[in-house]
Amino acid sequence: LDALQVTLISRSEAIQRAGRAGRTSAGQCHRLYTREVFERIMGERIIPEIQRTSLTSVVLQLKAIGIDNVIGFQYMDAPEEAAIAAALKQLYIFDALDKTGVITARGRQMVSLPVRVDLSGFLLRAMELDCVELACPIAAMLSVEGVFIRPGDKAGAEAAGKVRLSLEDAAGGSNDFATLLAIFQKCSNSESPPKWCREHYVHFRALKTARHVHQQLDGIVSTFKTKCSPQAKTYSANERLRRALCAGYCCNVARKSPGRRSFRTMDGHCSIAFIHPASALCGQEDDLDWILYHDIVVTNNTYMRTVCPVKYEWVKEYLPRQHNIDVGALSGGAILSHWSLASSLSRQKRPGEEDEEADANKLARRNTDTSISAARQRYLDRCKGGAGRGAT
């Protein structure tokens, strides 16, 4: 399950940040954590990004430039094999790769779009459903961070909440993607976008970046020669947009848990997740069955952000592809051979490794519940024996 999770910084980052306190003049650095957290819990260095994020875009880029063996590629910081396998699976689900791991024509179109793979799949499907003019602004808005301003004071937070609620109602009140589209359109059509953003508690810098991304996406998709589906004309604009979202977010589908406010993801893990409190759909769980989401954030609970209600018949064609996948074929057999090589290497002991392993096994045997109970009983017996000898 891909999720945004709040984690501690590393010790090296903490030291680097402390240096900023005295960069221009004498200063003090107050750490908001204990010495024990710094010395025992924080890692020495931050984990490289390639080892902790989704690799779908990286793997697709490698495939596009002719590197088929993405397992054996010499990465500067090699990611885990499981992460590469997950990326191959996701690309196959998006039809960016065929069953043998070869990049498809659709995959090459995805590479040319400067957005996440799920957003590029959404855009390509939107072209087929003749709603790309709605999809491009949404993809641009989802490519930037921090769209909404969240004031720290209570009065400002309440005012921002009311304004955001009015924007959600103007977009229908039941689709977070449509809310982003409405914000983009209203800001673009206003006489003074900076003033409109201030009045509606929206970061103008984020909207400015989104407009640049939109222009770039609009220019790229205009070069694609994609035929519209004959059935597209039978759907409303809202349905066409949501069907296109299903194609891009087919890996981010969740179904309502019976009798609860939670949902279960349909990615094979059946993880329990809740709709984020900031979503327009929060509080409407009883009226929902199937939904899709943009991303997941983990705090005290697992929350789905930017949510849209969908129908089962819109996603049912994508769900089987998530389970009928041969990872060995997708990797060209590299994953299986890599595992065989790893297991053979693990059987080759280094000098002195046998003794280390024997000591580790011995220590593990000592720490079982049975051995601990037996040792405790022996200790009690010795205590009783000592007390008996003292009495005589």
Side-chain angles (χ1 to χ4, degrees):
L1 183 68
D2 292 335
L4 299 174
Q5 192 166 3
V6 179
T7 59
L8 291 171
I9 62 173
S10 64
R11 289 196 292 272
S12 61
E13 287 179 301
I15 294 172
Q16 191 272 338
R17 293 180 183 184
R20 298 177 183 176
R23 178 167 296 174
T24 58
S25 62
Q28 293 181 343
C29 174
H30 297 273
R31 301 188 185 275
L32 303 180
Y33 43 83
T34 63
R35 183 180 296 275
E36 183 180 9
V37 170
F38 179 80
E39 295 178 349
R40 298 187 179 183
I41 300 179
M42 286 184 178
E44 178 65 27
R45 293 179 179 83
I46 190 172
I47 300 174
E49 185 175 359
I50 195 173
Q51 296 179 357
R52 54 186 170 88
T53 58
S54 175
L55 299 178
T56 49
S57 297
V58 175
V59 172
L60 188 59
Q61 289 282 354
L62 291 175
K63 291 284 187 178
I65 62 177
I67 300 176
D68 292 325
N69 186 7
V70 294
I71 298 292
F73 182 73
Q74 297 297 315
Y75 300 92
M76 184 174 294
D77 296 295
E80 292 185 2
E81 188 176 273
I84 300 177
L88 290 170
K89 290 180 181 180
Q90 195 168 16
L91 291 172
Y92 172 72
I93 294 169
F94 287 136
D95 198 24
L97 303 178
D98 63 16
K99 292 183 178 180
T100 61
V102 177
I103 188 170
T104 62
R106 192 177 190 85
R108 294 194 179 278
Q109 286 182 322
M110 288 182 172
V111 171
S112 62
L113 293 167
V115 290
R116 290 174 19 168
V117 174
D118 47 9
L119 289 177
S120 61
F122 162 50
L123 288 171
L124 293 178
R125 182 57 177 160
M127 293 183 65
E128 297 170 353
L129 294 176
D130 195 23
C131 62
V132 70
E133 72 283 353
L134 303 177
C136 278
I138 293 175
M141 291 289 285
L142 291 171
S143 299
V144 299
E145 297 181 359
V147 174
F148 297 100
I149 296 175
R150 295 176 174 83
D153 60 295
K154 184 177 180 180
E158 291 179 354
K162 291 180 180 179
V163 171
R164 182 167 179 175
L165 183 61
S166 66
L167 291 173
E168 292 171 350
D169 291 340
S174 61
N175 186 344
D176 294 332
F177 295 89
T179 301
L180 294 176
L181 174 61
I183 292 173
F184 183 91
Q185 292 175 337
K186 290 179 179 295
C187 179
S188 300
N189 296 332
S190 64
E191 295 181 358
S192 176
K195 181 180 178 181
W196 187 94
C197 289
R198 285 195 303 270
E199 294 175 347
H200 293 83
Y201 294 91
V202 173
H203 282 290
F204 174 67
R205 182 176 296 179
L207 265 294
K208 186 177 180 180
T209 303
R211 292 177 67 178
H212 290 318
V213 176
H214 173 260
Q215 292 174 359
Q216 189 176 4
L217 291 175
D218 191 47
I220 294 174
V221 298
S222 63
T223 63
F224 294 160
K225 297 180 180 179
T226 303
K227 295 181 179 180
C228 292
S229 172
Q231 297 178 342
K233 297 180 180 180
T234 63
Y235 308 140
S236 65
N238 179 45
E239 182 175 344
R240 278 181 283 161
L241 178 62
R242 289 195 287 167
R243 282 178 177 268
L245 285 168
C246 290
Y249 290 96
C250 55
C251 296
N252 292 7
V253 176
R255 188 180 186 184
K256 179 76 162 46
S257 300
R260 300 183 180 181
R261 298 175 66 87
S262 61
F263 292 76
R264 287 194 174 271
T265 60
M266 296 288 106
D267 55 357
H269 302 288
C270 289
S271 303
I272 298 177
F274 297 85
I275 295 178
H276 196 276
S279 171
L281 291 170
C282 184
Q284 303 180 31
E285 288 85 353
D286 293 338
D287 300 326
L288 302 173
D289 189 11
W290 290 82
I291 62 173
L292 56 82
Y293 55 90
H294 175 66
D295 60 9
I296 278 183
V297 61
V298 179
T299 54
N300 58 324
N301 277 320
T302 302
Y303 290 110
M304 299 172 289
R305 299 192 303 184
T306 315
V307 182
C308 170
V310 295
K311 296 181 180 179
Y312 171 69
E313 53 264 29
W314 299 349
V315 298
K316 65 180 181 180
E317 63 178 295
Y318 305 108
L319 297 179
R321 291 179 65 89
Q322 300 187 29
H323 308 289
N324 303 327
I325 301 176
D326 186 352
V327 182
L330 280 174
S331 64
I335 287 184
L336 298 179
S337 62
H338 180 73
W339 281 342
S340 301
L341 178 60
S343 61
S344 64
L345 290 176
S346 65
R347 291 192 294 269
Q348 299 176 6
K349 308 297 182 182
R350 298 188 300 273
E353 190 175 359
E354 292 84 352
D355 297 335
E356 295 178 2
E357 185 176 353
D359 293 340
N361 292 335
K362 186 176 180 180
L363 182 62
R365 288 195 297 271
R366 286 180 179 177
N367 289 331
T368 61
D369 293 338
T370 304
S371 61
I372 292 173
S373 299
R376 183 173 183 273
Q377 188 61 45
R378 289 195 298 271
Y379 171 75
L380 294 175
D381 292 342
R382 287 198 300 271
C383 291
K384 290 179 180 179
R389 287 194 296 273
T392 57

